[in-house]
């Protein structure tokens, strides 16, 4: 019955995938799990269900829809466009920037300040304004760093927005029996639409009529070959059947009419896109690192603060004072500048990458790329050029290799043979593709061609080898032509000869090799027509198998000079009756085509390998093609065999092969479907070189998850909509900028503007470098927390006048030390980082124990001593001897006591003491600065001597040090500073007091590095190498 | 673990040693008699007595318990100025000129007599309540000590008092002792507590004989003289002092 015939399809999604995803979501968010599961479940059901088009509907649709009905349906279903993924509201994004772990701590500190201010104000205390300033400063710090982070995020979102194509798509629709051009978003289910070559398919369409219609499904399925569309239902899977054309795919040639069966988000593309949005974004490793680290810092800050709060209470400080101590310790201990430093370092690298055509959407992705241990790469468009290209020719019983490089820089083959001339003639003439006009100055590979992929390949090939094909065709006037169709499997045309005195016609034919061979009686070898005997047939078979085995599409070519007596000039050729010979032809040769790998890819894959990164190919294409490309780019390395290869070599059944012997493995989607996740994980463990072919979007997701289960940090590259769920699931998704679909770009964390896989290697290198440099930066930033904290501890326990104020600490954190810590991001790598294994995310932490301990308890301790030496010097030289300072705090801070005696018997007012205290702050500040200059120099390297690395090679760092000194001078000596920011102009010698400690830091670290270099693996190395 | 503790022990001992060495070196450079720098402590600040816990002197004439603490504080403070103690320990100096004592820095310096009796009505000798019992309180004003400082550059520094802000009529009259409220030059310079052992700061007594009663009267007393700074907003005790009198009847 017609109803059966028009039964559209049942969408089948991998249940395994969905089931697995449910479990994952449940694990992650228990409260949301039920809702999410329901959503996915309903989606699955909808896709499982069958879509029926009844004969009645169809007959109405011949005339097109009634526009009023269409209007109603449009109201019901909404416009035919993909809903943009629901973005987080801007205020939430901003709020998130203000509510991190450290930020919360700072809010608490600010709140304590305000409370203290309020209470002191109520008591009529005049000095309480300090607390207000501090509260304002803290809030400003949080808000400013928040704004900075938000701006970074906003900027990267904007990059993405600029990719969106804003030109509305037009579609030809038949309504009420008339043709209209309307915006594609006005289309509704049931509309009758027309598509032709060059159009984008406006919705999911059930084809009713088609003339030579071919579509490019590569963005959906990853198949690089054009797919024929026709009314017949050929497969029960909607992705395989011929009678459905999908939304957003390109119609390459021919025309078709069809009825819209799905619009907007209900299209296959829309569903995949929504599948992608259902996948949780993985946290980036650097985010995990920083979170882990912030937790520790926050914990320690609260621990220290709490301890000293209790100590202060026990010693007998009033509650309010103890609270202020708590706040001060938090301020001293929290590295306020750290997040800004990390953000700036990452964005610097992002900028550097952008110059190399990698646009980073999510800053943290920069580092993720560096820790990547597995890259799951899509084939089409990423590893390959995404254009069919002639790669091999077989003529004169020899396989010749054509130049497949993008810029035609490769070797050409011998073109002197007569056979080649004949073959070339056939290739040029028996071809319906043509260049779009006005492209004479464009290099041939880049010219736009109207025609299908293989004809385009052949046209470009002959244009390059022969010269002006269009003119050549003019000279051989076409008398008649039979285009390619799937029943004949050949294409034929008959041409007049160039020489007007030669009255013969030339018949040229190309098609499926075996069909062509059937029609041939002779074969041309070195310009001689020889009878096609068994020997030649065997030679043909061998060549055909060889080329087919390379995953290439092979076409056969033959010709025949027609007898001028039988077919004189002006003979009326009839393509319907075929009143001309189509057998007994002369076989000229085979040409095979492939979507060739990009020139830079094999090298990039090699580099990944040396960097310890496993490259896995995951494609929707055929296994043979996939394997061939994998072998040619080095994903399957030379000498690696699959189980099947071993079986074939040893002539034993596949089951008898020891699977462990096979380094390589090709798994196709069908096998994958029947596999348990554990099995897949097992296979991934067993075979280092993997190729997945014929995979669906869900399966890509499962592959990524399985790799992650192995503990790998997975990068996924892809361009199609079908890749977008996997891109999102991956630790880092890399989309292609030119070929990539919007869905892929939306789901990705990084975009390769030049679609070049090799750019990923640059990314990995930069990512690793930034990880190393962040480590240095963080070590530098952390060090000064100790000399910031110890003044408070001494102040509380020994009751000396306060050596370092909170405002001053904020200046160190956020003003003077930012630039040097950022400048460490420009540091060159200490060793060849691309020859190391990727870091183990569980073992090689960004901030490890050695780093913290070394920074805190060794360098930080030295800095504290430097600060106190300078502090006591400044105090003593002004009349307050060290022993007098001890226990002086209560009197010192008594603002009624205007005649406090110093060690010489001089009497000081409170105001004078306050300025002296500010002098101490400044002196302590300068001590920290001087030590930090030494610190930044030692942080240049972790293992090498600074002399090996070069003192001045990092120009930015040198500038940063000079800048830091200038800023220090400015803060000290700018008039007005004492009353605004509590900086006093200090004496010159107080700059010099910390110098011995600075030198000590430098020498000590050189000794440490020497020990680490000399005795790797020793106790020293373990304890002191960070 | 033991090794690392030992390592830290050595490291910190070394650091502590280095620190001690630095401080020791620092102390070697310091003179016990004259501070290296005196710029932070000059020009001098001003302080008053009685000083209990602030700059509000509030009492009720009819309730002795409200003013006895002030009186006791004054007596206690003035003990060192008792005439016989001064005569015994210090010498009489020629008035009107700085008492410069040359010679070795370490030599003990003589101090000039400042006798309690010079404060006349505020000496607490005739009226042991310093006028508190009659609602005419005495307040002593002293200038902060600064080593080597010569106030007024040859002209004695004098004191004047006025209402800080508000009604001028609340303060009708103040008597100053000794000598119209000046600090005589002979008490300067000061040589530091190590050598100038018996030095007693000269005082100026303010006798508030007619102050508005039952009200808070903010009073500002300033030093006047060359080199004296008395108008810095950030330090209200530099060359001046502000206190509040609240005398209840």
């Amino acid at each position: 019955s017609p109803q059966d015939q028009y039964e559209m399809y049942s969408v089948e999604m991998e249940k395994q995938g969905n089931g697995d995803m449910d479990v994952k979501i449940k694990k992650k968010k228990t409260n949301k799990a039920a809702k999410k599961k329901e959503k996915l479940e309903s989606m699955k059901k909808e896709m499982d269900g069958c879509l029926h088009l009844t004969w009645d509907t169809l007959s109405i649709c011949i005339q097109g829809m009634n526009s009023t009905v269409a209007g109603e349906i449009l109201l019901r279903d909404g416009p035919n466009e993909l809903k943009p993924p629901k973005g987080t509201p801007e205020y939430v994004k901003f709020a998130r920037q203000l509510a991190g772990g450290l930020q919360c701590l700072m809010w608490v500190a600010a709140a304590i300040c305000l409370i203290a201010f309020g209470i002191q104000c109520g008591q009529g205390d005049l000095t309480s304004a300090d607390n207000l300033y501090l509260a304002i400063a803290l809030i400003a710090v949080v808000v400013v760093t928040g704004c900075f982070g938000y701006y970074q995020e906003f900027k990267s979102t904007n990059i993405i927005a600029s990719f969106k194509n804003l030109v509305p798509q037009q579609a030809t629709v038949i309504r009420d029996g008339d043709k209209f051009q309307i915006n594609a978003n006005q289309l509704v289910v049931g509309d009758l639409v027309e598509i032709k070559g060059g159009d984008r398919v406006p919705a999911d369409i059930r084809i009713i009529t088609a003339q030579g219609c071919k579509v490019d499904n590569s963005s959906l399925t990853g198949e690089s070959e054009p797919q024929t569309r026709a009314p017949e239902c050929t497969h029960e899977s909607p992705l395989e059947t011929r009678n459905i054309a999908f939304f957003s795919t390109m119609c390459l040639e021919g025309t078709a009419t069809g009825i819209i069966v799905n619009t907007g988000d209900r299209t296959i593309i829309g569903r995949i896109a929504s599948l992608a949005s259902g996948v949780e974004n993985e946290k980036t490793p650097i985010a995990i690192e920083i979170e882990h680290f912030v937790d520790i810092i926050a914990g320690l800050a609260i621990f220290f603060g709490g301890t000293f709060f209790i100590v202060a209470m026990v010693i007998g400080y009033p509650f309010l004072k103890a609270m202020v101590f708590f706040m001060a310790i938090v301020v001293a201990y929290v590295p306020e500048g750290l997040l800004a430093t990390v953000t700036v370092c990452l964005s610097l690298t992002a900028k550097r990458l952008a110059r190399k055509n990698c646009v980073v959407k999510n800053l943290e992705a920069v580092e993720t790329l560096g820790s990547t241990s597995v890259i799951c790469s899509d084939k089409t468009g990423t590893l390959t050029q995404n254009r069919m290209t002639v790669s091999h020719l077989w003529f004169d019983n020899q396989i010749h290799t054509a130049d497949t490089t993008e810029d035609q820089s490769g070797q050409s083959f011998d073109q002197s043979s007569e056979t080649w001339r004949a073959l070339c003639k056939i290739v040029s003439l028996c071809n319906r593709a043509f260049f779009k006009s006005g492209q004479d100055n464009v290099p041939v590979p880049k010219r736009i061609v109207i025609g299908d992929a293989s004809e385009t390949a052949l046209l470009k090939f002959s244009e390059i080898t022969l010269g002006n094909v269009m003119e050549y065709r003019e000279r051989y006037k076409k008398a008649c032509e039979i285009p390619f169709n799937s029943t004949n499997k050949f294409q034929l045309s008959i041409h007049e000869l160039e020489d007007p005195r030669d009255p013969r016609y030339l018949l040229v034919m190309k098609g499926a090799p075996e069909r062509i061979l059937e029609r041939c009686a002779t074969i041309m070898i070195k310009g001689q027509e020889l009878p096609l005997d068994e020997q030649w047939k065997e030679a043909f078979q061998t060549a055909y198998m060889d080329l087919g085995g390379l995953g290439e599409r092979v076409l056969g070519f033959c010709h025949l000079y027609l007898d001028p007596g039988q077919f004189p000039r002006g003979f009326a050729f009839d393509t319907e009756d075929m009143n001309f010979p189509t057998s007994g032809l002369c076989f000229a040769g085979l040409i095979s085509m492939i979507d060739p790998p990009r020139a830079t890819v094999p090298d990039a894959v090699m580099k990944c390998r040396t960097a310890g990164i496993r490259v896995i190919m995951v494609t929707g294409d055929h296994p043979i093609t996939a394997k061939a490309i994998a072998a040619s780019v080095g994903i399957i390395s030379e000498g690696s065999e699959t189980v099947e290869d071993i079986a074939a070599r040893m002539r034993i059944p596949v089951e008898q092969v020891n699977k462990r012997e096979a380094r390589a493995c090709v798994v196709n989607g069908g096998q994958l479907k029947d596999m348990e996740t554990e099995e897949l994980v097992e296979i991934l463990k067993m075979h280092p070189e993997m190729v997945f072919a014929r995979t669906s979007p869900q399966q890509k997701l499962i592959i990524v998850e399985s790799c992650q289960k192995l503990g790998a940090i997975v990068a996924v590259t892809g361009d199609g909509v079908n890749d977008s769920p996997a891109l999102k699931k991956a630790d880092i998704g890399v989309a292609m900028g030119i070929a990539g679909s919007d869905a892929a770009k939306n789901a990705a964390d990084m975009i390769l503007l030049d679609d070049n896989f090799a750019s990923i290697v640059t990314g990995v290198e930069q990512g690793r470098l930034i990880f190393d440099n962040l480590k240095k930066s963080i070590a530098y930033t952390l060090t000064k927390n100790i000399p910031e904290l110890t003044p408070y501890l001494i102040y509380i326990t020994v009751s000396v006048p306060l050596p370092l104020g909170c405002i001053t600490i904020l200046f160190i954190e956020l003003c003077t030390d930012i630039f040097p810590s950022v400048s460490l991001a420009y540091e060159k790598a200490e060793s060849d980082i691309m020859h190391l294994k990727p870091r183990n995310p569980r073992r090689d932490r960004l901030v490890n124990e050695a780093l913290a301990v070394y920074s805190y308890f060794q360098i930080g301790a030295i800095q504290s001593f430097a600060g106190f030496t300078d502090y006591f010097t400044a105090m003593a030289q002004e009349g307050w001897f060290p022993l007098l300072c001890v226990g002086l705090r209560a009197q010192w801070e008594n603002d009624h006591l205007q005649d406090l005696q110093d060690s010489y018997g001089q009497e000081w007012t409170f105001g004078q003491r306050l300025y002296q205290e500010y002098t101490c702050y400044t002196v302590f500040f300068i001590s920290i600065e001087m030590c930090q200059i030494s610190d930044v120099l030692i942080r240049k390297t972790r293992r090498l001597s600074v002399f090996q690395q070069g003192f001045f090679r990092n120009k930015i760092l040198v500038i940063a040090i000079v800048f830091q000194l200038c800023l220090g001078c400015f803060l000290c000596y700018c008039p007005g500073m004492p009353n605004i920011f509590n900086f006093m102009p200090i004496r010159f010698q107080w700059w010099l007091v910390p110098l011995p400690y600075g030198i000590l830091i430098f020498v000590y670290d050189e000794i440490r590095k020497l020990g680490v270099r000399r005795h790797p693996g020793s106790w020293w190395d373990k304890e002191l190498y960070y | 673990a033991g090794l690392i503790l030992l390592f830290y022990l050595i490291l910190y001992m070394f650091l502590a040693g280095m620190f001690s060495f630095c401080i020791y070196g620092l102390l070697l450079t310091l003179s016990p008699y004259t501070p290296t720098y005196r710029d932070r402590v000059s020009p001098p600040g001003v302080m008053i007595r009685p000083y209990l816990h602030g700059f509000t002197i509030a009492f009720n004439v009819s309730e002795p318990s409200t003013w006895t603490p002030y009186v006791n504080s004054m007596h206690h403070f003035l003990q060192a100025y008792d005439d016989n103690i001064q005569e015994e320990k210090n010498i009489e100096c020629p008035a009107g000129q700085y008492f410069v004592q040359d010679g070795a820095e370490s030599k003990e310096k003589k101090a000039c007599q400042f006798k309690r009796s010079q404060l006349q009505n505020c000496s607490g000798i005739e009226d042991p309540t310093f006028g508190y019992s009659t609602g005419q309180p005495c307040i002593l004003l002293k200038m902060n000590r600064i080593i080597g400082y010569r106030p007024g550059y040859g002209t004695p520094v004098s004191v004047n008092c006025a209402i800080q802000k508000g009604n001028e009529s609340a303060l009708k009259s103040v008597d100053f002792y000794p000598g119209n409220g000046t600090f005589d030059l002979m008490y300067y310079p000061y040589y530091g507590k190590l050598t100038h052992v018996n030095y007693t700061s000269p005082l100026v007594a303010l006798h508030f004989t007619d102050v508005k009663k039952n009200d808070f009267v903010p009073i500002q007393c300033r030093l006047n003289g060359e080199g004296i700074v008395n108008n810095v907003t950030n330090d209200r005790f530099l060359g001046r002092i502000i206190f509040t009198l609240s005398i209840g009847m």
Side-chain angles (χ1 to χ4, degrees), chain A residues 394-411:
Chain A
W394 181 74
F395 59 83
D396 291 348
N397 196 18
Q398 221 178 344
I399 291 179
H400 302 263
T401 309
D403 179 10
T404 54
T405 54
E406 284 134 300
D407 51 357
Q408 295 300 318
S409 56
Q411 286 284 321

Side-chain angles (χ1 to χ4, degrees), chain A residues 56-290:
Chain A
D56 294 343
T57 334
L58 201 60
S59 61
I60 291 165
C61 288
I62 298 303
Q63 288 295 309
M65 280 188 98
N66 183 314
S67 23
T68 36
V69 176
E72 281 166 21
I73 300 178
L74 184 67
L75 276 180
R76 189 193 68 195
D77 291 353
N80 171 36
E81 56 197 2
L82 294 184
K83 243 181 259 138
K86 213 190 278 168
T88 328
E90 296 299 310
Y91 68 92
V92 174
K93 278 190 203 161
F94 188 65
R96 222 176 270 162
Q97 294 285 349
L98 298 180
L102 289 185
Q103 282 91 336
C104 284
L105 218 52
M106 306 260 280
W107 283 119
V108 172
I112 293 174
C113 280
L114 282 177
I115 293 167
F117 169 71
I119 295 173
Q120 284 178 321
C121 234
Q123 292 169 345
D125 193 331
L126 293 164
T127 54
S128 59
D130 279 0
N131 281 324
L132 181 65
Y133 290 149
L134 194 56
I136 292 169
L138 286 174
I139 292 169
V141 166
V142 177
V143 172
V144 168
T145 46
C147 286
F148 182 72
Y150 176 74
Y151 171 72
Q152 286 292 348
E153 196 180 319
F154 177 76
K155 231 174 43 183
S156 56
T157 325
N158 262 9
I159 296 171
I160 308 319
S162 69
F163 281 118
K164 291 228 169 91
N165 184 9
L166 295 172
V167 183
Q169 195 195 336
Q170 296 282 314
T172 313
V173 64
I174 299 164
R175 281 185 186 168
D176 307 324
D178 283 327
K179 264 189 206 175
F180 294 101
Q181 282 281 331
I182 62 169
N183 277 347
N185 62 5
Q186 299 297 311
L187 294 176
V188 296
V189 172
D191 258 332
L192 185 62
V193 289
E194 266 188 24
I195 50 170
K196 56 180 190 303
D199 283 351
R200 199 170 271 270
V201 178
D204 283 358
I205 292 171
R206 164 65 168 86
I207 304 289
I208 305 173
T209 63
Q211 285 89 40
C213 178
K214 282 193 177 170
V215 292
D216 174 12
N217 272 358
S218 62
S219 80
L220 191 65
T221 59
E223 292 160 308
S224 44
E225 288 177 27
Q227 308 288 310
T228 309
R229 294 291 106 161
E232 306 88 41
C233 178
T234 55
H235 200 284
E236 62 176 27
S237 159
L239 289 170
E240 306 266 340
T241 185
R242 278 227 185 117
N243 58 352
I244 308 277
F246 297 105
F247 180 41
S248 93
T249 58
M250 286 295 288
C251 177
L252 296 173
E253 61 176 290
T255 58
T257 54
I259 290 172
I260 295 179
V261 292
N262 278 318
T263 59
D265 286 333
R266 290 167 299 279
T267 57
I268 295 288
I269 290 262
R271 286 173 202 199
I272 294 174
S274 62
L275 181 66
S277 68
V279 176
E280 294 267 327
N281 240 337
E282 292 288 298
K283 257 193 193 145
T284 58
I286 192 93
I288 295 169
E289 289 292 335
I290 288 175

Side-chain angles (χ1 to χ4, degrees), chain A residues 126 853-854 856-858 861-862 865-866 868-869 872-874 876-879 881-882 884 894-912 915-916 919 979 984-987 989-990 993 996-997 1000 1004 1019-1020 1023-1024, chain B residues 1 3-4 7-8 11-12 14-16 18-20 22-23 26-27 29-47 49 51 53-55 142-147 190-194 201 232 234-238 241:
Chain A
L126 293 164
V853 165
Y854 183 69
Y856 278 159
F857 299 121
Q858 297 181 32
I862 299 177
F865 277 106
F868 276 103
T869 308
F872 283 122
T873 307
Q877 293 198 330
E878 293 288 357
F881 289 179
L884 181 71
N894 181 348
D895 59 350
H896 294 317
L897 193 58
Q898 302 296 339
D899 55 354
L900 184 65
Q901 286 202 2
D902 65 16
S903 306
Y904 292 94
Q906 305 186 98
E907 292 167 329
W908 295 61
T909 66
F910 177 74
Q912 287 166 338
Y915 281 125
Q916 174 60 21
T919 306
N979 298 325
M984 293 292 283
I986 61 163
R987 291 172 207 287
Q989 71 266 29
W990 295 336
V993 173
Y997 291 93
L1000 173 70
Y1004 176 64
W1019 167 83
W1020 183 273
E1023 293 288 348
L1024 295 179
Chain B
L3 207 53
I4 194 76
F7 175 81
Y8 273 102
L11 178 70
Y12 283 134
F14 174 76
L15 283 176
M18 183 165 171
F19 178 73
S20 315
C22 285
I23 295 294
L26 163 74
L27 292 178
T29 66
L30 296 174
S31 151
Y33 310 107
T34 321
T36 319
Y37 303 108
R38 276 162 285 178
D39 53 346
R40 289 261 173 269
V41 72
S42 59
V46 176
M47 190 57 178
R49 290 291 183 278
Y51 170 72
H53 28 61
F55 298 98
K142 76 178 179 67
M143 188 163 42
N144 281 353
R145 295 176 192 178
I146 298 164
I147 290 175
Y190 174 56
Y191 285 100
K193 69 176 181 189
L194 206 61
S201 296
V232 185
N234 284 320
D235 191 349
R236 298 186 304 159
F237 299 92
L238 204 63
I241 191 159

Side-chain angles (χ1 to χ4, degrees), chain B residues 68-84:
Chain B
T68 22
Y70 294 112
V71 172
N72 290 341
S73 160
M74 299 275 274
H75 276 297
H76 179 76
F77 176 70
L78 285 176
Q79 263 174 14
Y81 293 85
D82 279 346
D83 290 16
N84 50 351

Side-chain angles (χ1 to χ4, degrees), chain A residues 518-552:
Chain A
E518 281 169 14
R519 294 169 189 277
C520 289
T522 57
I523 180 165
M524 188 179 268
I525 300 292
K526 306 223 189 262
Q528 309 285 317
E529 280 195 32
L530 304 178
L532 189 64
D533 54 19
E534 282 308 312
Q535 186 199 338
W536 288 120
K537 276 188 183 164
E538 189 139 314
F540 163 88
Q541 275 305 335
T542 319
Y544 184 28
M545 293 305 288
D546 280 354
L547 295 176
L550 293 174
E552 302 186 354

